[in-house]
Amino acid sequence: MIKKVAILANGGDVSGFNAVIRGIVKTAENHNVECYGFIEGYKGLLNNEFIRLDKTNIASGILAKGGSIIGSSTNANVFKYKQEENGQVVYKDLSDVCVENVRKDEFDCIFTLGGDSTQKSARDFCVKGLNIIGVPKTIDNDVACTDITFGYNTAVSVATEAIDRLHTTAETHHRIMVLEVMGREAGWIALESAIAGGADVALIPEIPYDIEKAAEKIKRRQEIGKNFSIVVVSEGAFPKGGNISTKNERDGGEGVINVQLGGAGEKVAKELEKLTGLTSRCTVLGYMQRGGTPTAYDRVLSTKYGSKAMELALEEKFGVLTVLKNGKLDYVPLEEVVGDNKELGAVQGGTTNSNVRVVTMDDDLVKTARNIGICLGD
Ligand code: F6P
């Protein structure tokens, strides 16, 4: 019988974290289960810092609130945790400390709200014997085995509004407006917002681009009197035979994504200006996509995911991720979510054996974009 559960939110924040927390807490309370929240994701699990979550405290009135009321950590692979010893950086496997903390406080289940890396650690904790249920989060929409992650719809909606606003200024000044959106390995945000906003070009990591093709599309528009164009670029997009654009190396420890992306949009803007003769400007949308209130869709999806996760806990179905498959709530084993990346503590994402969900060429979004003449840079 489940009596006491805890939630942790991990990785980059998204709109909808709190709606998931609320969905879990409310469902738990309806079944007389006590709910707690670890502070700052896996860091809280390691430091054994948690708070009680119930409808009389901070878990109340949070449905429309951005961020996470229990924080989140972006640099916490507790299987290879960065520490300093005698002035030297060392990486230590502190996962057993986490397991001990969970056992000591008698948590019957831990809910891990996070993206592919968070769910990789979640699966690794299952191997170590903890009862875990994952909930798929990320604005990039690239968690394997689910059609959609919470936070994605809000990001697309923010990007679409930005495209609408760029349209009017582009038209007024006869410019190419490039919008750089997030999406490290997957171009979902760029592709969907390009369709929603009526962009002319969308460049995504899955299709290494030929800048000449994008320029040709813009020139064809000039020929019919359209002296402006909108180009959406994923931060992870790169030219054929070229590299992704990076900004900084971040030393967040082994097992976390260490490279900060940046510059993809600016690069495209400069090259298009040269090739077309039109003035070009780049806007980087950045963290706007992750902050603020969730869309109605994300509020509902997050609530569904949260309540489903608690239902699964009550049924004692552990080691799984809540997913949406063809519009229906479901769950899949975390083993399936991490794919071939079975080594404990290994990094997820950007590796050959990782299982992130990228845009495939037979996806309806790709077909639709091509049908309506959006240039995908190929
Ligand atoms: O994975 C989600 C994401 O928003 C990426 O699109 C982006 O590259 C990254 O997080 C940025 O992370 P950080 O918060 O560490 O800068």
Side-chain angles (χ1 to χ4, degrees):
M1 266 271 284
I2 296 290
K3 287 205 173 77
K4 190 176 170 189
V5 298
I7 303 169
L8 66 81
N10 202 67
D13 70 335
V14 300
S15 302
F17 255 149
N18 291 326
V20 176
I21 294 169
R22 176 178 174 271
I24 295 174
V25 171
K26 279 188 173 265
T27 310
E29 286 187 354
N30 282 339
H31 290 87
N32 301 315
V33 175
E34 270 180 34
C35 214
Y36 293 80
F38 280 103
I39 303 300
E40 293 187 12
Y42 285 120
K43 251 188 216 164
L45 193 61
L46 180 62
N47 300 329
N48 210 23
E49 272 183 66
F50 55 83
I51 52 165
R52 177 91 164 89
L53 296 174
D54 65 40
K55 53 184 176 218
T56 61
N57 67 10
I58 59 161
S60 165
I62 59 170
L63 178 60
K65 205 170 161 186
S68 158
I69 57 162
I70 49 174
S72 183
S73 176
T74 52
N75 286 323
N77 181 1
V78 287
F79 288 80
K80 284 180 183 166
Y81 203 66
K82 189 184 163 199
Q83 291 200 307
E84 267 202 36
E85 251 179 31
N86 309 323
Q88 294 262 309
V89 172
V90 289
Y91 295 96
K92 286 202 161 167
D93 180 358
L94 300 179
S95 57
D96 286 340
V97 179
C98 301
V99 172
E100 190 46 38
N101 288 342
V102 172
R103 298 242 156 91
K104 199 170 59 205
D105 287 297
E106 298 182 328
F107 288 113
D108 299 311
C109 175
I110 308 294
F111 298 102
T112 54
L113 282 42
D116 59 309
S117 297
T118 302
Q119 304 312 343
K120 172 64 174 59
S121 293
R123 173 270 178 188
D124 294 351
F125 276 120
C126 292
V127 174
K128 287 187 158 261
L130 292 189
N131 293 337
I132 307 273
I133 295 173
V135 183
K137 168 236 71 164
T138 174
I139 66 165
D140 292 4
N141 201 28
D142 59 359
V143 177
C145 304
T146 185
D147 293 345
I148 191 160
T149 54
F150 69 90
Y152 168 67
N153 182 267
T154 306
V156 170
S157 151
V158 171
T160 303
E161 193 194 335
I163 296 171
D164 288 348
R165 290 179 185 279
L166 290 173
H167 245 117
T168 57
T169 164
E171 194 167 4
T172 306
H173 295 291
H174 315 303
R175 284 173 170 165
I176 298 168
M177 285 295 187
V178 174
L179 178 69
E180 182 186 302
V181 296
M182 282 186 172
R184 299 182 73 89
E185 288 161 65
W188 297 108
I189 300 176
L191 192 54
E192 195 153 352
S193 66
I195 294 171
D200 307 294
V201 179
L203 304 179
I204 61 175
E206 294 85 344
I207 306 177
Y209 63 82
D210 175 350
I211 199 69
E212 297 278 351
K213 300 279 180 197
E216 276 163 27
K217 165 79 190 180
I218 292 167
K219 284 191 210 149
R220 283 199 300 276
R221 282 173 53 77
Q222 283 177 285
E223 279 159 24
I224 55 162
K226 304 225 178 198
N227 288 317
F228 70 96
S229 282
I230 304 290
V231 179
V232 187
V233 179
S234 297
E235 60 180 351
F238 59 94
K240 256 188 207 156
N243 295 316
I244 50 165
S245 301
T246 60
K247 214 166 156 188
N248 284 317
E249 283 289 321
R250 300 179 293 195
D251 191 1
E254 292 177 10
V256 293
I257 292 164
N258 280 323
V259 183
Q260 191 180 7
L261 302 187
E266 198 58 58
K267 180 181 170 70
V268 167
K270 277 200 189 118
E271 288 175 9
L272 287 179
E273 185 165 288
K274 255 193 258 150
L275 291 169
T276 64
L278 281 177
T279 304
S280 185
R281 294 279 191 268
C282 174
T283 302
V284 180
L285 201 49
Y287 298 89
M288 298 284 290
Q289 295 157 94
R290 291 185 359 189
T293 189
T295 56
Y297 181 92
D298 258 333
R299 292 180 201 190
V300 176
L301 179 69
S302 302
T303 306
K304 278 158 83 173
Y305 274 156
S307 86
K308 177 73 180 176
M310 189 60 223
E311 254 179 32
L312 290 168
L314 291 164
E315 292 164 16
E316 304 192 16
K317 288 208 172 76
F318 303 119
V320 296
L321 180 79
T322 62
V323 296
L324 200 73
K325 273 274 159 230
N326 305 320
K328 291 280 257 180
L329 273 180
D330 206 342
Y331 61 93
V332 291
L334 281 163
E335 283 295 341
E336 230 175 88
V337 178
V338 302
D340 294 334
N341 196 3
K342 304 289 189 207
E343 184 198 326
L344 285 196
V347 66
Q348 175 82 352
T351 60
T352 44
N353 57 356
S354 66
N355 200 23
V356 293
R357 193 177 79 96
V358 296
V359 176
T360 54
M361 294 311 108
D362 61 350
D363 193 276
D364 286 343
L365 286 177
V366 173
K367 290 188 200 159
T368 305
R370 292 199 195 280
N371 282 344
I372 61 166
I374 296 178
C375 169
L376 299 180
D378 60 348

